[in-house]
Amino acid sequence: MGMGRNLSRRKTVLKCRRRERRKRGRIIPLETLMLKRITLTIFLFALIQTVFAQTSAGGNLPAGFKLPIQDIGGPLLHSIPIPDDPMIQHYINEYSRESGQKTMSAILQRGAPYLGFIYNSLLEAGMPAELMYLPAVESGFRAWALSRSGASGFWQFMMNSISPYDIVVNEWQDDRRDFWKATGAALSKLRFNYERTGSWPLAVAAYNCGLGRVERAVAAAGTTDYIELFNQGYIPRETRNYVPKFFAFAHIAGYAAIHEVSSAAVFNTASAQNSAGWEQIELNQAVNLVILASKAGIPVPLLHEANAELRHGITPPAVNGYFLKVPSGYSDNVRKVLENTEEPLMRFYIHEIQGGDTLYALSRHFGVSVSMIEMYNPAVDARALRSGQKIIIPALKETGPFRSDYNAPERWNFSLAYTIKAGDSLWSISRAFNTSVEEIAFNNGMRTDETLKVGLIIQVPREN
């Protein structure tokens, strides 16, 4: 009996000790843990939606409040409330397939050098971070992307939409491919869309199909629900797919590890906020990107893509002014190279004018435009080239010296008078007399684009 009582007492003591150890070791049942996590997620989700609704409406964050970092772990938080749209889930499923994962990984890897810049630009503008993935849907982060309708660059600007922004398009550059300028312009456009519509889904829709069309749709339908706008036929099918595709891409990219997107492509917001990023360096000379990259130790493809707006891989003449974009890690090297005036960063051909030479013929041979030659030779008059005169021509390609096949005494004798008639042009006259527009203009002291007046007498060649 005594032994039995002692054994029973020992068992009771052991149970109490186990209970105390479980409390000290925080051994909590799995069901309880899951319930607490779900409750916390719901609370945080509601909190973030409230905060962003407040800031989007122009309010301020509570004192000491910091936005949670969207990354590969933690609760699924979004700064733009995701619409209740089955099409979004459709595209999430598409991107979650093996082929979709490969596509997303490739896009994110192409965008990796620029996502930090776009992300920080959005933070400075007080705009939702998810918008940094809009170029993924627009262009797949291809710097030289050109759509069938003529839209160009990461953000796919059309020529008719660049006028409000600092975007230059000329024979030297197409700033629609300038990731720095185009990002600033795109964010301004998106912000304006949001201010007019009061809805980020509609702001994104307007970026695709135009703000005017969205505003007319809202006015006609009496609703700001883009799904309903489409169902009533006010929003085009392309935009109906565009908006859900963006939300699906942003959701998966924000939590790439969960969706098994390549870890190499995962964007880390914490590192982006602290990354060195990019710098702009103002140039006071023309620069060939290949020469500069080799001297500064920058990979040539990286420098070319960062300055994809340059049509020929050379910067405009210094009189135009140009800001070169370089990764911050290479900026000191670039500045040292630029400060060394003994190191040429541009190659030119030097050509001595011979009888019969024209800027047009030289431009065809050296692969440059006439205006480009004129820009580097401001003292040269194309209508009055002199034999022995020396000009410089940008070396955009490897080619041999120019040799004119023009020999006036042997081929042409511009001694025949011709009176201009209605409908005449230099082109039609050159065809009639088996010569060229440039030759007629050269021998008559005219411009190649000069308007001909009826009754004007010019000299044309008389064949020997």
Side-chain angles (χ1 to χ4, degrees), residues 333-412:
N333 290 1
V334 170
R335 288 189 174 90
K336 288 178 182 177
V337 172
L338 293 173
E339 290 168 2
N340 186 355
T341 56
E342 297 180 359
E343 290 286 342
L345 297 175
M346 186 72 195
R347 293 191 304 113
F348 294 93
Y349 294 110
I350 299 177
H351 176 75
E352 184 174 334
I353 298 296
Q354 305 294 323
D357 283 358
T358 65
L359 294 190
Y360 174 78
L362 290 169
S363 71
R364 293 286 299 271
H365 177 79
F366 289 104
V368 299
S369 65
V370 170
S371 60
M372 193 177 292
I373 297 176
E374 291 175 329
M375 194 172 293
Y376 275 100
N377 300 274
V380 170
D381 184 350
R383 295 173 295 177
L385 298 179
R386 302 186 308 273
S387 294
Q389 187 178 22
K390 291 185 178 180
I391 64 174
I392 60 174
I393 301 172
L396 302 188
K397 67 176 185 178
E398 294 293 336
T399 186
F402 175 78
R403 290 184 176 85
S404 174
D405 59 358
Y406 173 78
N407 190 327
E410 294 180 5
R411 291 186 56 187
W412 290 306

Side-chain angles (χ1 to χ4, degrees), residues 189-199 201-226 229 234-236 239:
K189 188 174 184 178
L190 286 163
R191 166 63 74 183
F192 184 71
N193 289 351
Y194 175 75
E195 290 171 351
R196 293 294 295 267
T197 64
S199 160
L202 287 184
V204 171
Y207 193 90
N208 177 253
C209 69
L211 178 61
R213 185 162 190 170
V214 169
E215 288 185 320
R216 289 192 297 271
V218 170
T223 178
T224 58
D225 184 341
Y226 82 92
L229 292 176
Y234 292 107
I235 296 295
T239 305

Side-chain angles (χ1 to χ4, degrees), residues 146-376:
L146 182 66
S147 73
R148 287 176 293 181
S149 59
S152 184
F154 282 169
W155 293 94
Q156 291 288 279
F157 273 95
M158 297 284 290
M159 284 296 295
N160 61 5
S161 62
I162 64 174
S163 55
Y165 313 109
D166 181 27
I167 292 180
V168 175
V169 178
N170 57 30
E171 65 176 313
W172 290 95
Q173 65 204 79
D174 184 344
D175 285 346
R176 295 177 299 167
R177 301 196 301 252
D178 182 328
F179 80 85
W180 195 298
K181 284 187 177 181
T183 294
L187 267 53
S188 295
K189 188 174 184 178
L190 286 163
R191 166 63 74 183
F192 184 71
N193 289 351
Y194 175 75
E195 290 171 351
R196 293 294 295 267
T197 64
S199 160
W200 282 115
L202 287 184
V204 171
Y207 193 90
N208 177 253
C209 69
L211 178 61
R213 185 162 190 170
V214 169
E215 288 185 320
R216 289 192 297 271
V218 170
T223 178
T224 58
D225 184 341
Y226 82 92
I227 303 173
E228 186 60 29
L229 292 176
F230 172 77
N231 290 338
Q232 293 188 33
Y234 292 107
I235 296 295
R237 180 174 297 277
E238 177 189 346
T239 305
R240 176 67 182 96
N241 291 307
Y242 176 87
V243 176
K245 189 179 293 186
F246 158 70
F247 276 111
F249 194 102
H251 168 77
I252 295 181
Y255 302 94
I258 296 175
H259 296 279
E260 299 181 0
V261 176
S262 170
S263 59
V266 172
F267 174 74
N268 189 294
T269 55
S271 62
Q273 287 175 294
N274 301 318
S275 63
W278 296 87
E279 291 187 31
Q280 287 184 318
I281 299 177
E282 187 173 7
L283 301 181
N284 58 8
Q285 59 180 305
V287 169
N288 183 305
L289 295 187
V290 174
I291 297 175
L292 177 62
S294 63
K295 292 182 181 296
I298 306 177
V300 173
L302 176 61
L303 192 61
H304 264 299
E305 186 173 89
N307 298 275
E309 68 277 10
L310 296 176
R311 294 184 184 274
H312 310 289
I314 61 173
T315 63
V319 292
N320 284 13
Y322 181 78
F323 286 88
L324 186 76
K325 297 172 292 300
V326 298
S328 296
Y330 293 100
S331 60
D332 289 341
N333 290 1
V334 170
R335 288 189 174 90
K336 288 178 182 177
V337 172
L338 293 173
E339 290 168 2
N340 186 355
T341 56
E342 297 180 359
E343 290 286 342
L345 297 175
M346 186 72 195
R347 293 191 304 113
F348 294 93
Y349 294 110
I350 299 177
H351 176 75
E352 184 174 334
I353 298 296
Q354 305 294 323
D357 283 358
T358 65
L359 294 190
Y360 174 78
L362 290 169
S363 71
R364 293 286 299 271
H365 177 79
F366 289 104
V368 299
S369 65
V370 170
S371 60
M372 193 177 292
I373 297 176
E374 291 175 329
M375 194 172 293
Y376 275 100

Side-chain angles (χ1 to χ4, degrees), residues 437-450:
V437 170
E438 291 73 30
E439 295 293 349
I440 296 176
F442 175 77
N443 283 277
N444 287 275
M446 305 167 64
R447 298 191 311 273
T448 56
D449 61 348
E450 192 154 331

Side-chain angles (χ1 to χ4, degrees), residues 41-87:
T41 299
I42 294 173
F43 168 75
L44 288 175
F45 184 79
L47 176 62
I48 197 68
Q49 304 290 30
T50 301
V51 169
F52 271 99
Q54 179 180 347
T55 54
S56 298
N60 297 316
L61 290 172
F65 185 90
K66 291 185 179 180
L67 296 178
I69 294 175
Q70 288 197 54
D71 220 320
I72 61 174
L76 304 181
L77 303 176
H78 301 278
S79 53
I80 304 177
I82 295 184
D84 184 15
D85 182 0
M87 286 288 287

